[in-house]
Amino acid sequence: MTLSLPIGILKDKARGPQNHFEYFAKDFEETPHGLLPGAWIKLIHRKKEYLGTFNAFSQNQIICRTMGAFPHGDWVTEEELATSFIETRIQLAVQKRFTWRDFDRGCRLIYGASDGLPGLIVDLYQNAALIQIHSAGLDRFREKIKLAIEKHIQAKAVFLDDPKLREIEGLPQFPGDDLPSFIEVYENGCLFKLEQDIWQKIGFYYDHRFNRKRLKMILSELNFKGETALDLFSYVGAWGFTLLKEKFINRVDFIDQAHLGPTFIENAKLNGCLKQAHFHRQDVFSYLVKAHKEGQRYSLIISDPPAFSKTKKNREKALHGYRKLAKNCLKLITDEGGVFVMASCTHGVSNEDLDRLVQLEAVDLGRQVQLLDMGLQGPDHPFQGLSGGSLYIKSLIYQVF
């Protein structure tokens, strides 16, 4: 007997599931009823069939997530279909990553809907893979997901559940996995050891990995050699340590509010940069004002703040924050040929938005800026197009005169 899934019918005017992955009740002409949270369904839009999961109990009102075209086969049970689909998608995601150099040593292994597995995020480190699930349809098969991941990597996979995201989806809270006491990160020739108590999100931030690589390329082409650099919102210092390892700079001041001093010392030793790396636990905006008053100048400044807004509703507030940063950073760049990196992970703020702010502040300060490079997220954070919701990483590299 061939499996027959419950059916949901989208309105014709709803955005098509080819490049849209989340639906509300208002998007449906007909919804299935009486289903368990996360039931797998057949989704129909303009006579085309797609695979989706359905959760009428989600507190954020996203009741359906889609996974692409409906896969036809001779499945007998929902579990058989789900297991086959999940394992196939995980295998494909890993294969795509591991064609890139060094990605088997660490990367964003699975990036949710971009890999056809909405609600699943997996980051791979040298000693572990950390998993987060915030989709009821995938959470029902969490143990199968863990086994499928471990099949393709040389490390243990463990769950690092986000209680807030799970609560929004109406998911149960499970006892915590036996997490490693630290994760080992390899990126762009740098090594990092992160103790569990300083992990953010899902451990480390791989999102600007390729933009750090692009910065190396630009500085190499410039034959850049600077005295001091400033790494703002540094976390564990991935930008600054990249500069020091490549000897583009003699000293980096790392600024972050978190208690990261001991971590910095250990990672500076790992990368052979102990004497050149200086960590300051301080508010970034306060530090910039103080540095200007004291007449400090930097050959290179990197500004990579956390997201200033989680939604497009607060876009103007986010833009104000980036403009304030640009102004204070440009004041501190050395007079001729310094480099300024403006990075962002805020949804709803584009490279064009960031460039406009930098250009406006440069004019106000009587400075000239030349845009040398523009970067997005790397292939371990895949996105389908420039207008898709999965694209959120931006990076601009300027030379300042």
Side-chain angles (χ1 to χ4, degrees), residues 96-368:
K96 287 193 292 186
R97 267 59 167 192
F98 285 6
T99 59
W100 293 82
R101 186 174 64 184
D102 289 335
F103 274 32
D104 59 333
R105 300 183 66 176
C107 65
R108 169 62 53 88
L109 194 66
I110 298 174
Y111 181 43
S114 293
D115 286 307
L117 294 165
L120 175 63
I121 300 294
V122 183
D123 277 1
L124 174 65
Y125 304 103
Q126 295 204 108
N127 62 322
L130 301 185
I131 307 169
Q132 281 188 358
I133 301 177
H134 48 89
S135 160
L138 295 181
D139 197 59
R140 292 176 56 203
F141 303 99
R142 57 192 281 127
E143 293 303 322
K144 292 183 182 295
I145 287 172
K146 179 192 285 191
L147 291 173
I149 291 168
E150 288 184 332
K151 181 178 177 181
H152 297 286
I153 63 174
Q154 302 298 316
K156 182 181 180 181
V158 294
F159 287 105
L160 181 64
D161 289 331
D162 186 320
K164 291 182 179 179
L165 291 177
R166 293 183 65 80
E167 182 179 355
I168 291 172
E169 184 72 7
L171 300 179
Q173 304 293 344
F174 293 104
D177 256 357
D178 185 16
L179 296 171
S181 59
F182 61 89
I183 50 175
E184 296 174 335
V185 182
Y186 175 86
E187 187 203 82
N188 292 329
C190 294
L191 297 171
F192 302 95
K193 182 179 179 181
L194 281 66
E195 301 292 339
Q196 188 184 133
D197 61 349
I198 68 162
W199 294 354
Q200 295 184 10
K201 283 193 172 181
I202 192 165
F204 178 75
Y205 292 100
Y206 281 123
D207 43 12
H208 276 293
R209 170 202 198 117
F210 259 60
N211 291 325
R212 289 187 272 269
K213 199 170 189 176
R214 294 174 75 90
L215 178 59
K216 289 201 301 182
M217 177 190 71
I218 294 296
L219 295 179
S220 178
E221 292 294 324
L222 285 175
N223 291 315
F224 184 88
K225 294 294 181 183
E227 282 301 315
T228 56
L230 192 55
D231 185 348
L232 303 174
F233 310 96
S234 65
Y235 190 36
V236 295
W239 288 95
F241 280 118
T242 299
L243 298 176
L244 291 173
K245 287 279 284 189
E246 298 293 328
K247 303 188 185 307
F248 290 122
I249 210 83
N250 293 326
R251 171 193 169 112
V252 178
D253 288 326
F254 298 85
I255 317 299
D256 201 289
Q257 287 192 97
H259 178 58
L260 296 166
T263 298
F264 255 86
I265 292 173
E266 183 170 6
N267 287 317
K269 290 178 180 177
L270 281 175
N271 291 286
C273 305
L274 184 59
K275 293 183 179 180
Q276 299 107 314
H278 300 267
F279 177 72
H280 306 266
R281 187 182 184 187
Q282 199 168 340
D283 171 74
V284 164
F285 290 99
S286 299
Y287 181 90
L288 291 173
V289 171
K290 180 173 178 287
H292 179 62
K293 288 181 178 178
E294 294 175 351
Q296 293 188 47
R297 292 294 181 267
Y298 290 93
S299 307
L300 191 155
I301 298 179
I302 299 155
S303 174
D304 181 13
F308 282 156
S309 170
K310 298 295 183 183
T311 66
K312 292 183 179 181
K313 293 180 181 178
N314 295 320
R315 179 174 177 275
E316 291 305 316
K317 183 178 179 181
L319 292 175
H320 176 75
Y322 284 113
R323 183 164 186 175
K324 186 177 178 181
L325 272 175
K327 177 180 181 178
N328 288 317
C329 289
L330 289 173
K331 287 180 178 179
L332 298 178
I333 298 281
T334 49
D335 289 339
E336 294 296 329
V339 172
F340 175 44
V341 179
M342 174 67 98
S344 167
C345 61
T346 300
H347 287 272
V349 173
S350 67
N351 269 325
E352 290 84 354
D353 293 327
L354 295 174
D355 179 58
R356 183 171 61 255
L357 300 178
V358 174
Q359 299 288 351
L360 287 171
E361 288 304 326
V363 170
D364 285 351
L365 294 170
R367 307 296 303 267
Q368 179 186 356

